[in-house]
Amino acid sequence: MRKLPLNTPTPAHTARGLAGHGAKHDSAWKHVSGQARYIDDLPMPEGTLHGAVGHSEQAHARIIAMDLDAVRAYPGVVAVVTARDVPGHLDIGPVFSGDLVLADDTVEFIGQPIFAVAATSHDAARKAAKLARVEYEPLEAVVTVTQALEKKLFVRPSHTQKRGDPDSALSTAPHRLKGEQFVGGQEHFYLEGQACLAEPTEDRGMFVHTSSQHPSEVQKLVAEVLGLPIHEVQTEVRRMGGGFGGKETQAAPVACVAALLANATRRPVKYRVSRPDDMVQTGKRHDFYNTYDIGFDADGRIRGADIMVAGRCGYSPDLSDAIVDRAMFHADNAYYLDQARVVGHRCKTHTVSNTAFRGFGGPQGMLVIEQAMDDIARHLGRDPLDIRKLNLYGPGRDTTHYDQTIEQHVLPELMELLEDSSDYRQRRAEITAFNQSSPVLKRGLALTPVKFGISFTAKHLNQAGALVHIYTDGSIHVNHGGTEMGQGLYIKVAQVVASAFQVDLDRVKVSATRTDKVPNTSPTAASSGSDLNGMAALNACEKILEGLTDFAARHWSVPESAVEFADNQVRIGEQTLDWAEFIQQAYMNRIPLSSSGFYATPKIHYDPETGTGRPFLYYSNCAACSEVVVDTLTGEYRVLRTDILFDAGRSLNPEIDIGQIEGGFVQGMGWLTTEELVYSDDGRLMTTGPATYKIPAVSDCPPDLRVTLLPDSPNREATVFHSKAVGEPPLMLGMAVWSALRDAVSSLTDYRFSPPMDPPATPEKVLAAVTASQDWLRQQQKEAG
Amino acid sequence: MIEFLLNGHPEKVDQVDPNLSILEWLRTKMRLTGTKEGCASGDCGACTVITGTPDGQGGTRYEAINSCITLVGSLHGKQLITVDAFQQEPGHPVQISMVAKHGSQCGFCTPGIVMSLMALHANRPDHAVVSHQQILEALSGNLCRCTGYRPIIEAGHDAMVSEWTPDASHPAAGLAGHEPPTGAGDPQSVTLTGTDGTRYDAPVTVEELRALRRDYPDSRLVAGSTDLALEITQQLKTLDHLISVERIVELQGCRMAGDELVIGAATTYQVFREILSDSWPPFDAMIERLGSRQIRNRGTIGGNIANASPIGDMPPPLIALDATLVLDGPDGPRTLPVEQFFRGYRQTALNAGEFIHSVRIPTPADDESLFIYKISKRLDDDISAVLGAFRLTLVDGVVRDCRLAFGGMAATPARALKAEQALRGKPWNEDSLAAAMAALADDFSPMSDARASAAYRLQVAGNLLRRAWLSSDAHPSEQLMVTDYA
């Protein structure tokens, strides 16, 4: 069969577990029986030491003196290293310079590692690291986004995207509203903290077991700090206990510290970061300060928009350039802004360097326009859903403010379907009636869309490699550059490979991601895992199939068109061989049974100079309808029901995709509700553990949660089996909860006042919105009477 | 030396640091790595294991606990069951359902979730349907960052209607009702000695406890260690000498004495919850939100009081109810109203060597109403921003007496004396309420911290009084709390 299933529907088959089937996660049994190994579970090589770091207690200061004698003298301590002991590069910035593996003479945030300790136990290393005496000369510290904006302190240059003449559109629009919002950050709270195990190898090399979304970058940076060519360092990632973006760049410093300690002692070093240290030392989702100025007509149709998004990047660039870019790319969310200007600032502060987090700036950008949608609706006395639908992209209104044309208009229909299936209108009427008769409890409802661009905005990252081996018993082994963090990438790629050969899924094993199997890989990020690695694996399969088909045709003297791989068999003309038997024959006839594969995403380009291009291969679309109930005495609330409709294209694994959607939604809801990062005025994180930082718990799951995949919506782009990405977009469905909370509070003013409610909408913020609404009402009554 | 059963196998442990948590012991000494560390502070549940404790009546109480903040010394005489006992397929119904429902993604929280559901499975009444609320309650201390919980909840429902019938030789057969293996250890008092002179005593009588406290006045008392262990795992302290109260039968359990309910200081929330809620129903909803199931299985009423945290949840209602503490020590017992126990931020009235013996709570009179309201960012497993507990004696629409106590409003749990004054003897109406709410600003100057701002605390404290007013007889049918709504 030369015609691969790439652009055809999955054929009828009897092989089990092919693409489209809801196969179980490949590690499911290992998870439930405690046999899935994470870094800290690996058997430790003889003589393994344990790492810890001492970190800065000042937000911005010069280090005058550092006395580490007590650290060195602590029982069990074997080595202490500082910046001066680093044999290679000190700077491990992933894209731009600015991140030091250990601070040199200046510290720029509370929590910045300044020295590292290796000791005979985890406990000893941590206790010893607390004994340093560091003398600081304090320097002026800038902590908040607004402080940085005032001082024009940026880690990277600001950018503008502009289409048309927004200023004149705004000044001539019949209605005009301005607003602002502070959007909170978010701690990843992967359940497995950062961890790695570094083992010295021959030739001063290093083998690193890491819990990283980006093994190639860990490999490169470890090589650089050790002053080695990259080939002396190899890294392996079997699985992560959650990543969410928090292990894209943030795993590398941990691995570099472990490698430095292992190099200094020539002993294996395990470094797992305790939860409070992890929360203090590693970057989080950027908090943003956003403003909008929007002009619209009497129907609520946007005529012009002037939007500013400013992210708190922390002390170094890390990935912030691309993250603020993505906030800008998504400041329209799903709406045609017409004449528009979007400005993005990358604010430098003396706080931890914020980093990738599921959505990568997109969520923070979308919130500004979603706030505006609600505000426009209140201003005009309309239902917010009507305003949202009116402004959706559609034919004739289909180019973004950065000049990409929307080619597949999914949302208008998707939102109609969800509006119907969630009984939005009927519930709206019922809720309005309830609110009129319930003085304390108020219910709220909102239906919000998500349009999310799929591709890395850094073009070079849109590539992937894979390695497929068929062994002589017909079993298949796959490696690819993607990492498994729970999202089910391994099983999806295995399903792709099983589909390519039309064999049972249990013949295919995807094993740990290793830099010596597949080199130069991109991070598993940007929702691209299965798009990129699935295609690379398919490409490898295609190459093997080509040789096998050619062999079958020659060996059995049939035309290539008479060779078909199906149902765990190979049909060659009139005869049929079992898969394993055929593979045996191919081996005996010296046919290659292994191949690498490669994929590079087509069509994409973007010019940062002009702020235009096609940064995304396609858009992922979805929408959520959430209902909440709010207590106007305390600000407490619950989510009562959520309906989600999601376009996963032709899903590779509907069960896994639904898991991503539900998990993403709840994570996004957490970001916008209870997850509050609190900093002191001098830049110290006060919420350093789950006792104070509250991610959603089991009772926060909506008691009525209905998730459906949009049927019959294959990706028009040639993605793997025409599936669509699913990793990040559902996080932004949490916006429906935030908007529903505002809706509930807005009922206090008969939906005339749009209450400020900066996310995260903790009970405290909700009560403040209630108070603001009551004050507004009093003011209105005073003016009226 | 301490003795216990680890997945059915007798273990004798000595010469280990008594500061070691069960989790650390499992992972580093036994290299049993199925049980995970997510936070080492008892907040995430990844480390959940099951302990089987003899209940004194010939049976065993199987409970999910956080192994990261439970000290290894506490295991004496118990069974310890970990996920490692369940490696054979097809496995326990909980495992089967979790796989079938796609209940794991990254899998790191999964062993803890499995153990919490297995504990619920073991404790479910024969053939009784386990409610949705019971499943949520069992999982209240298990954070999952991947799934959003829906498949886990469904797996829980499925598992609860499936039987598990292991052989008697299964390492966790006790969970299925098999007779627990014997050999769990000496019923007398024991001491675990660390290599560096550290020590953990587990006496079984009050007399022994008094003697130990007399001889070692600098020792620290430990009950459930749900807060104490944080000094070890979070502040990296070494506690040289710990004396555990959890094996002292006299300090355990609830009984009526005259018109008072007496709760032994070492009684866990889970044990006293039902009895206390029988007398005073508002406790039930509050305790539901106090910590998690794992914490309630370990935390004790005496520990919560002695800890003297301004945000401990038991002291305000106990103050509102004018409960009394029985203190004991080298000089013998004495009594003290709970209200007088707190002398300043984390300062108590305990003298050197003293300990809390029990709490005496008066039974309600017909004209008394109690309201307890806990406010926190999250419903499950969160520490209060504010807790209000109000006891009102209403006669013919007049507040004959009231005690209004708050947590989170001052350095100690405290009464709002001026607000009480504004109500006492006044008609229970909007005007009196407004006066009492206004008086709170004179009673308290709360602080701002990571949980809430001072302004929110003050505003909510007043609104909680309003909630009590709205929920009293004057306003019959209104729904007031989101937790009641859904």
Side-chain angles (χ1 to χ4, degrees):
Chain A
M1 182 178 88
R2 297 303 304 276
K3 197 171 70 171
L4 287 164
L6 174 57
N7 286 318
T8 61
T10 307
H13 55 74
T14 60
R16 290 164 303 188
L18 305 190
H21 170 74
K24 305 285 184 288
H25 194 288
D26 49 293
S27 292
W29 171 254
K30 285 175 280 192
H31 291 155
V32 299
S33 59
Q35 296 176 81
R37 281 180 179 173
Y38 304 82
I39 300 293
D40 195 35
D41 304 335
L42 297 174
M44 280 183 289
E46 198 180 336
T48 297
L49 299 171
H50 300 262
V53 302
H55 64 230
S56 167
E57 291 296 326
Q58 299 231 348
H60 191 200
R62 216 182 322 279
I63 297 176
I64 304 294
M66 187 153 60
D67 177 357
L68 300 175
D69 289 350
V71 182
R72 289 195 180 89
Y74 192 81
V77 169
V78 176
V80 176
V81 301
T82 67
R84 280 168 210 168
D85 306 313
V86 176
H89 295 191
L90 195 55
D91 196 316
I92 55 168
V95 185
F96 306 101
S97 59
D99 295 275
L100 303 187
V101 62
L102 293 170
D104 202 356
D105 54 351
T106 307
V107 289
E108 292 200 88
F109 74 96
I110 295 173
Q112 183 171 8
I114 48 183
F115 65 91
V117 186
T120 48
S121 77
H122 179 65
D123 201 40
R126 287 179 72 198
K127 284 179 173 167
K130 294 231 179 278
L131 300 177
R133 282 191 305 192
V134 184
E135 207 180 311
Y136 300 98
E137 178 193 320
L139 301 169
E140 189 192 6
V142 172
V143 173
T144 66
V145 159
T146 38
Q147 288 166 355
L149 276 176
E150 259 170 47
K151 292 177 187 293
K152 295 197 170 12
L153 273 180
F154 301 122
V155 293
R156 295 284 304 153
S158 300
H159 281 308
T160 299
Q161 294 162 338
K162 182 164 166 256
R163 193 214 0 238
D165 186 355
D167 296 320
S168 98
L170 282 167
S171 59
T172 57
H175 297 271
R176 186 168 176 179
L177 279 177
K178 293 184 185 186
E180 64 171 6
Q181 61 182 188
F182 287 91
V183 179
Q186 187 176 24
E187 160 65 33
H188 301 85
F189 211 86
Y190 26 65
L191 263 288
E192 180 210 23
Q194 304 278 357
C196 72
L197 174 63
E199 287 179 66
T201 59
E202 298 179 344
D203 301 322
R204 304 201 67 77
M206 200 64 68
F207 191 92
V208 183
H209 293 271
T210 170
S211 180
S212 168
Q213 293 171 240
H214 200 347
S216 283
E217 187 168 272
V218 171
Q219 176 195 30
K220 170 175 171 282
L221 293 174
V222 166
E224 284 180 359
V225 295
L226 297 181
L228 297 171
I230 293 177
H231 69 213
E232 290 295 351
V233 176
Q234 300 302 341
T235 65
E236 173 174 324
V237 180
R238 172 58 187 92
R239 63 170 63 79
M240 282 165 270
F244 317 113
K247 295 173 180 172
E248 183 173 346
T249 62
Q250 304 295 292
V254 176
C256 288
V257 163
L260 285 170
L261 292 170
N263 188 57
T265 58
R266 300 313 293 170
R267 287 168 72 172
V269 171
K270 177 155 79 178
Y271 177 24
R272 73 174 167 96
V273 186
S274 68
R275 181 62 59 181
D277 281 356
D278 194 315
M279 290 185 72
V280 168
Q281 290 173 9
T282 68
K284 302 163 202 323
R285 182 188 296 288
H286 295 58
D287 48 314
F288 268 70
Y289 171 65
N290 300 333
T291 63
Y292 75 80
D293 181 353
I294 287 188
F296 49 96
D297 64 20
D299 294 330
R301 191 184 298 262
I302 292 173
R303 295 270 184 86
D306 191 355
I307 291 172
M308 187 277 292
V309 295
R312 174 162 74 161
C313 302
Y315 85 103
S316 75
D318 186 70
L319 302 174
S320 295
D321 215 27
I323 287 165
V324 176
D325 271 350
R326 196 171 267 273
M328 296 169 68
F329 286 131
H330 290 84
D332 60 343
N333 188 11
Y335 312 113
Y336 181 65
L337 298 182
D338 207 336
Q339 313 295 299
R341 180 190 298 112
V342 175
V343 180
H345 299 296
R346 291 124 179 102
C347 297
K348 166 156 180 156
T349 52
H350 295 105
T351 51
V352 69
S353 191
N354 283 325
T355 192
F357 194 140
R358 202 175 195 171
F360 204 73
Q364 296 98 311
M366 285 181 193
L367 265 183
V368 69
I369 198 69
E370 290 302 335
Q371 174 164 322
M373 287 293 146
D374 287 337
D375 295 351
I376 293 169
R378 304 304 175 213
H379 183 80
L380 296 175
R382 299 279 303 280
D383 188 314
L385 178 58
D386 294 331
I387 302 301
R388 289 190 163 93
K389 285 164 67 178
L390 183 71
N391 283 292
L392 287 177
Y393 284 104
R397 294 157 46 86
D398 56 3
T399 50
T400 65
H401 57 284
Y402 49 89
D403 205 34
Q404 174 156 356
T405 302
I406 316 282
E407 292 171 358
Q408 192 175 5
H409 292 289
V410 175
L411 277 173
E413 188 203 346
L414 187 149
M415 285 181 72
E416 291 286 346
L417 287 170
L418 184 63
E419 183 182 331
D420 284 348
S421 65
S422 65
D423 289 324
Y424 180 91
R425 300 291 168 181
Q426 192 192 327
R427 287 161 72 200
R428 167 62 69 198
E430 187 206 325
I431 286 166
T432 304
F434 171 90
N435 288 341
Q436 281 161 359
S437 65
S438 171
V440 172
L441 295 188
K442 303 287 182 185
R443 283 156 64 195
L445 185 69
L447 194 162
T448 59
V450 172
K451 165 186 130 290
F452 192 78
I454 302 300
S455 292
F456 285 98
T457 54
K459 185 176 174 181
H460 71 276
L461 295 177
N462 295 287
Q463 59 173 315
L467 183 61
V468 174
H469 306 315
I470 306 173
Y471 294 102
T472 52
D473 62 353
S475 66
I476 301 164
H477 192 101
V478 183
N479 278 94
H480 54 76
T483 55
E484 177 64 45
M485 59 194 105
Q487 82 279 43
L489 176 61
Y490 279 16
I491 195 70
K492 280 186 170 182
V493 174
Q495 287 177 275
V496 168
V497 171
S499 298
F501 296 121
Q502 292 290 303
V503 297
D504 288 347
L505 181 59
D506 59 13
R507 285 190 190 269
V508 184
K509 182 177 178 70
V510 180
S511 78
T513 310
R514 288 176 59 126
T515 48
D516 53 0
K517 293 270 185 84
V518 177
N520 310 324
T521 56
S522 294
T524 310
S527 307
S528 70
S530 47
D531 277 12
L532 294 180
N533 297 290
M535 285 298 263
L538 194 57
N539 176 246
C541 297
E542 195 176 340
K543 290 183 194 168
I544 296 171
L545 280 167
E546 199 169 333
L548 290 175
T549 306
D550 174 68
F551 156 68
R554 278 190 292 106
H555 191 74
W556 281 278
S557 304
V558 298
E560 287 194 357
S561 60
V563 179
E564 186 189 5
F565 293 80
D567 307 334
N568 289 305
Q569 292 172 329
V570 187
R571 295 188 195 118
I572 307 160
E574 294 302 305
Q575 60 179 322
T576 299
L577 276 74
D578 280 345
W579 167 255
E581 189 186 346
F582 173 76
I583 290 300
Q584 184 70 32
Q585 289 282 344
Y587 170 74
M588 294 307 291
N589 286 279
R590 302 183 297 168
I591 304 302
L593 294 173
S594 172
S595 176
S596 64
F598 185 77
Y599 175 73
T601 309
K603 297 185 179 178
I604 49 177
H605 58 91
Y606 180 70
D607 180 355
E609 293 301 313
T610 60
T612 60
R614 177 189 179 147
F616 306 115
L617 179 61
Y618 64 96
Y619 294 93
S620 171
N621 297 282
C622 50
C625 178
S626 274
E627 181 180 340
V628 300
V629 60
V630 167
D631 174 356
T632 55
L633 289 177
T634 63
E636 294 171 294
Y637 49 81
R638 298 199 80 170
V639 180
L640 302 174
R641 172 177 163 183
T642 295
D643 295 59
I644 291 170
L645 187 54
F646 194 100
D647 179 14
R650 189 172 287 140
S651 171
L652 292 176
N653 185 323
E655 299 286 343
I656 295 276
D657 282 354
I658 284 174
Q660 286 295 293
I661 294 162
E662 290 176 339
F665 163 73
V666 169
Q667 198 171 67
M669 177 184 85
W671 167 50
L672 295 172
T673 56
T674 57
E675 294 185 36
E676 186 174 31
L677 291 165
V678 182
Y679 286 87
S680 68
D681 290 343
D682 59 353
R684 183 179 297 276
L685 181 67
M686 308 303 286
T687 44
T688 59
T692 46
Y693 185 76
K694 309 313 278 189
I695 70 168
V698 69
S699 297
D700 297 311
C701 174
D704 189 351
L705 177 58
R706 310 179 191 191
V707 179
T708 312
L709 299 182
L710 186 69
D712 305 322
S713 182
N715 199 334
R716 287 195 196 170
E717 299 298 334
T719 53
V720 59
F721 302 143
H722 297 278
S723 59
K724 287 182 186 173
V726 75
E728 293 165 290
L731 181 123
M732 285 149 270
L733 295 171
M735 293 189 303
V737 171
W738 178 70
S739 185
L741 289 169
R742 291 185 86 204
D743 185 65
V745 176
S746 186
S747 71
L748 290 166
T749 57
D750 198 21
Y751 302 101
R752 288 177 295 154
F753 175 65
S754 199
M757 195 190 284
D758 286 342
T762 56
E764 175 164 352
K765 298 264 191 60
V766 173
L767 187 62
V770 167
T771 305
S773 300
Q774 289 162 340
D775 290 347
W776 181 89
L777 211 52
R778 265 191 290 275
Q779 188 65 30
Q780 293 288 304
Q781 283 158 353
K782 202 183 288 175
E783 284 168 16
Chain B
M1 183 178 71
I2 58 162
E3 296 175 80
F4 56 94
L5 296 167
L6 168 62
N7 294 329
H9 293 284
E11 295 286 343
K12 294 177 199 275
V13 171
D14 206 6
Q15 296 292 304
V16 306
D17 184 353
N19 289 275
L20 211 56
S21 67
I22 294 173
L23 178 67
E24 281 288 291
W25 180 78
L26 283 169
R27 292 186 59 86
T28 63
K29 305 288 181 197
M30 304 305 288
R31 288 305 290 163
L32 284 175
T33 56
T35 310
K36 309 301 180 195
E37 177 184 313
C39 67
S41 61
D43 294 299
C44 81
C47 67
T48 304
V49 297
I50 295 174
T51 53
T53 309
D55 64 4
Q57 285 136 37
T60 305
R61 207 169 65 226
Y62 290 101
E63 294 167 311
I65 65 160
N66 290 310
S67 66
C68 71
I69 53 165
T70 309
L71 303 179
V72 72
S74 72
L75 287 172
H76 182 75
K78 297 184 185 176
Q79 299 175 56
L80 171 62
I81 296 169
T82 73
V83 72
D84 310 282
F86 296 91
Q87 299 202 349
Q88 296 301 315
E89 290 193 72
H92 187 284
V94 166
Q95 293 174 297
I96 294 168
S97 304
M98 279 288 286
V99 171
K101 289 287 177 187
H102 301 264
S104 70
Q105 287 183 24
C106 87
F108 200 82
C109 71
T110 313
I113 281 171
V114 163
M115 295 312 281
S116 284
L117 287 174
M118 283 183 183
L120 178 64
H121 188 271
N123 289 316
R124 76 204 201 289
D126 288 341
H127 306 296
V129 175
V130 173
S131 72
H132 191 71
Q133 193 53 37
Q134 284 174 298
I135 289 184
L136 298 186
E137 204 246 333
L139 292 169
S140 56
N142 290 91
L143 297 179
C144 169
R145 192 53 152 165
C146 296
T147 63
Y149 303 101
R150 194 271 313 159
I152 296 170
I153 297 167
E154 287 190 6
H157 279 288
D158 284 2
M160 294 310 141
V161 296
S162 307
E163 293 303 318
W164 183 50
T165 52
D167 293 343
S169 62
H170 190 284
L175 291 181
H178 287 280
E179 194 70 20
T182 51
D186 189 345
Q188 301 306 311
S189 57
V190 293
T191 298
L192 171 65
T193 314
T195 44
D196 47 0
T198 50
R199 174 170 169 171
Y200 182 101
D201 287 302
V204 295
T205 67
V206 167
E207 291 70 31
E208 288 168 337
L209 177 60
R210 281 195 202 113
L212 282 163
R213 292 293 280 162
R214 185 184 56 235
D215 296 345
Y216 305 102
D218 293 336
S219 60
R220 298 283 300 272
L221 284 180
V222 55
S225 72
T226 56
D227 198 67
L228 181 96
L230 303 183
E231 293 184 26
I232 300 167
T233 67
Q234 302 298 303
Q235 297 166 33
L236 306 185
K237 285 188 195 168
T238 298
L239 306 179
D240 294 328
H241 190 176
L242 291 165
I243 299 175
S244 166
V245 297
E246 76 170 290
R247 298 180 65 223
I248 301 172
V249 176
E250 190 180 328
L251 301 185
Q252 297 278 356
C254 310
R255 62 189 170 86
M256 290 303 297
D259 58 354
E260 291 182 317
L261 173 64
V262 180
I263 303 178
T267 311
T268 62
Y269 292 101
Q270 202 56 37
V271 170
F272 72 70
R273 174 180 176 178
E274 198 175 324
I275 294 152
L276 181 58
S277 301
D278 279 349
S279 302
W280 295 101
F283 273 99
D284 198 52
M286 186 274 276
I287 294 176
E288 177 99 31
R289 291 182 62 180
L290 188 156
S292 61
R293 179 61 188 258
Q294 290 94 319
I295 295 293
R296 294 191 289 272
N297 283 338
R298 288 292 300 165
T300 64
I301 192 166
N304 192 246
I305 296 166
N307 196 33
S309 162
I311 43 179
D313 283 341
M314 289 303 290
L318 294 176
I319 290 170
L321 292 174
D322 203 7
T324 308
L325 294 177
V326 178
L327 307 180
D328 205 334
D331 299 332
R334 63 177 174 127
T335 61
L336 187 73
V338 173
E339 187 188 355
Q340 292 173 27
F341 183 73
F342 306 102
R343 296 289 166 85
Y345 179 70
R346 291 199 174 248
Q347 302 289 311
T348 73
L350 282 173
N351 295 322
E354 264 191 325
F355 54 91
I356 300 174
H357 178 282
S358 51
V359 187
R360 289 156 53 161
I361 304 166
T363 50
D366 287 347
D367 51 8
E368 287 176 341
S369 317
L370 178 69
F371 306 90
I372 310 175
Y373 301 128
K374 173 172 173 141
I375 302 298
S376 52
K377 275 183 202 168
R378 191 174 69 190
L379 288 172
D380 290 322
D381 194 7
D382 198 357
I383 292 166
S384 298
V386 177
L387 186 136
F390 319 131
R391 188 185 64 169
L392 297 168
T393 309
L394 295 173
V395 178
D396 300 330
V398 172
V399 181
R400 199 173 67 192
D401 193 13
C402 65
R403 288 171 72 91
L404 313 176
F406 286 92
M409 296 295 287
T412 64
R415 281 169 71 185
L417 294 171
K418 295 200 173 66
E420 288 180 7
Q421 208 177 342
L423 286 180
R424 200 172 289 116
K426 305 285 173 14
W428 181 226
N429 64 18
E430 187 76 43
D431 287 346
S432 315
L433 177 74
M437 286 170 67
L440 284 176
D442 297 327
D443 279 315
F444 297 118
S445 309
M447 62 185 282
S448 293
D449 63 13
R451 294 195 172 86
S453 71
Y456 177 70
R457 287 190 157 109
L458 207 51
Q459 186 182 4
V460 159
N463 283 355
L464 292 182
L465 286 178
R466 175 172 294 282
R467 185 193 270 174
W469 150 248
L470 290 173
S471 59
S472 58
D473 294 343
H475 306 81
S477 60
E478 270 162 31
Q479 282 180 306
L480 295 168
M481 289 168 64
V482 295
T483 44
D484 294 339
Y485 186 85

